[in-house]
Amino acid sequence: LLVIVDHGDTQHFAPTEECVISHAEIEELVQLAKLAEGRKASRKRPSSQRNPTNQTDPCSRRLGEFKTTIQDVLARYGTMQNSSISVSEYKLMKAQQEQELTELLRRVDNFEREVEQRFRAEIERLRNSLQKLQRRLNDNLRLLEQERAAGRRAQEALCVGYIQIGNVEEAVKAYRALNGSYEIARLTNDAFVVDGDTVTPLVNFFEALREDAQAFGTIAGYEILYSKIEQNNQLNKDRSSKLFFSLVGLEYYYSEQADINRIGALRVKLIDKLKSLDRETR
């Protein structure tokens, strides 16, 4: 490879720093890319090989950058298999994976065009390996997402079951383990039983989440519960009182004014209901 050196009106051709790509360097990257085979990330680590080329030459530096990127992709893939990460965290990491792999393939394509002809077959081999890695990760992530969805459904059912039998402590543990993926409104609809008294356990459940009321949006649960028992003519004095006193002070755990207003509006409805019930008993 030659570069042009400009000295005024005269141009001279000068050789660039020697750039040599070895089979061993490419083989290390190819083997590294194979670590994602199977549905779970392999815990193997590639053997530490000394590159036969000088680490300061431009080709070795570029290959070193590719290696770092592949390692980052595999490390992130391992993290994505952790069931404790939230849905939003998973989606963010998945987007990062897709972007990083696409960018890596673009850089390899550019590199293939830049190197000498005698090295292009090796770079093509690396590119093919990375494309296989990309396909494997996509397939594995689809399976992982199916497993995560099935796990969430089972955890949701467990949470609902605990509420319906009045085991609020275990229900809260199950709910928190879902990392906010189970909306409180949907949970309230799922847990409410028309012909059974789930009002008390649901209210107790909302109260147990009071410290995180804003994050979980418990006011939505109160609103749906109120609506359901009112529609079913189950809003008696005891239940109205239970709901009302549970709402007292709830606004202090909220920072959004719109939600604070919703709490106040529901309290007003309950006060009106209690007054109405009181008049009926006179």
Side-chain angles (χ1 to χ4, degrees), residues 25 30 43 67 87 106 132 139 152 163 188 199 215 261:
E25 286 178 301
V30 168
R43 295 187 180 275
K67 179 179 178 179
V87 173
R106 186 191 67 78
K132 289 179 182 177
D139 290 343
R152 282 197 303 272
I163 290 173
T188 306
V199 175
N261 293 342

Side-chain angles (χ1 to χ4, degrees), residues 5-279:
V5 181
D6 193 353
H7 293 288
D9 296 330
T10 307
Q11 291 183 336
H12 301 281
F13 288 92
T16 62
E17 184 180 0
E18 184 181 4
C19 180
V20 178
I21 295 172
S22 72
H23 176 81
E25 286 178 301
I26 299 299
E27 180 63 21
E28 182 181 13
L29 296 182
V30 168
Q31 292 304 316
L32 182 62
K34 287 182 178 179
L35 292 183
E37 289 180 352
R39 292 176 61 184
K40 298 292 183 183
S42 171
R43 295 187 180 275
K44 292 194 306 179
R45 290 291 180 266
S47 59
S48 177
Q49 294 179 317
R50 286 184 58 194
N51 288 335
T53 56
N54 186 345
Q55 289 294 328
T56 62
D57 78 60
C59 283
S60 290
R61 285 198 299 271
R62 294 282 284 279
L63 293 176
E65 292 168 3
F66 296 162
K67 179 179 178 179
T68 299
T69 301
I70 296 170
Q71 289 172 328
D72 289 345
V73 165
L74 293 175
R76 188 183 296 111
Y77 172 57
T79 302
M80 291 171 74
Q81 295 179 79
N82 190 336
S83 60
S84 66
I85 65 172
S86 67
V87 173
S88 59
E89 288 172 328
Y90 177 87
K91 288 181 178 178
L92 176 61
M93 284 189 283
K94 183 179 180 182
Q96 290 172 335
Q97 286 289 72
E98 292 171 350
Q99 181 180 357
E100 202 155 275
L101 279 169
T102 300
E103 175 63 16
L104 177 59
L105 283 166
R106 186 191 67 78
R107 287 160 56 200
V108 170
D109 284 342
N110 289 341
F111 189 44
E112 185 177 1
R113 287 192 289 268
E114 293 170 10
V115 299
E116 296 179 41
Q117 183 67 42
R118 61 190 172 122
F119 298 131
R120 288 182 182 173
E122 289 289 352
I123 301 301
E124 179 67 14
R125 181 165 165 260
L126 172 60
R127 187 174 70 84
N128 290 338
S129 179
L130 291 175
Q131 286 178 328
K132 289 179 182 177
L133 170 64
Q134 188 176 41
R135 288 194 295 270
R136 276 198 303 272
L137 288 181
N138 287 339
D139 290 343
N140 291 353
L141 288 178
R142 276 193 291 271
L143 292 171
L144 180 60
E145 286 162 15
Q146 291 172 7
E147 291 176 357
R148 284 174 62 87
R152 282 197 303 272
R153 288 192 295 270
Q155 190 79 356
E156 289 171 4
L158 187 65
C159 182
V160 167
Y162 279 134
I163 290 173
Q164 290 176 341
I165 64 173
N167 191 339
V168 172
E169 183 179 352
E170 290 301 321
V172 168
K173 289 179 184 177
Y175 186 76
R176 288 187 181 279
L178 287 162
N179 292 307
S181 64
Y182 194 13
E183 297 87 352
I184 205 84
R186 187 158 60 88
L187 176 144
T188 306
N189 278 313
D190 292 344
F192 183 80
V193 179
V194 175
D195 57 354
D197 190 4
T198 50
V199 175
T200 296
L202 273 168
V203 171
N204 291 342
F205 176 77
F206 300 151
E207 289 177 348
L209 295 173
R210 179 167 279 217
E211 293 290 336
D212 298 299
Q214 181 74 76
F216 292 131
T218 56
I219 182 57
Y222 281 106
E223 289 171 334
I224 289 174
L225 182 58
Y226 169 84
S227 176
K228 282 184 171 294
I229 56 180
E230 185 184 41
Q231 288 172 5
N232 292 317
N233 295 317
Q234 295 174 317
L235 196 57
N236 57 26
K237 188 173 183 179
D238 288 341
R239 287 170 179 157
S240 297
S241 297
K242 177 75 174 175
L243 280 168
F244 175 78
F245 286 112
S246 182
L247 289 170
V248 173
L250 181 61
E251 65 270 22
Y252 297 114
Y253 297 92
Y254 275 86
S255 56
E256 296 291 333
Q257 188 59 48
D259 291 327
I260 293 171
N261 293 342
R262 289 165 68 188
I263 295 168
L266 185 54
R267 273 207 303 255
V268 169
K269 288 181 181 179
L270 287 164
I271 289 171
D272 290 343
K273 182 64 178 179
L274 285 166
K275 287 179 178 178
S276 173
L277 290 169
D278 189 54
R279 285 194 297 269

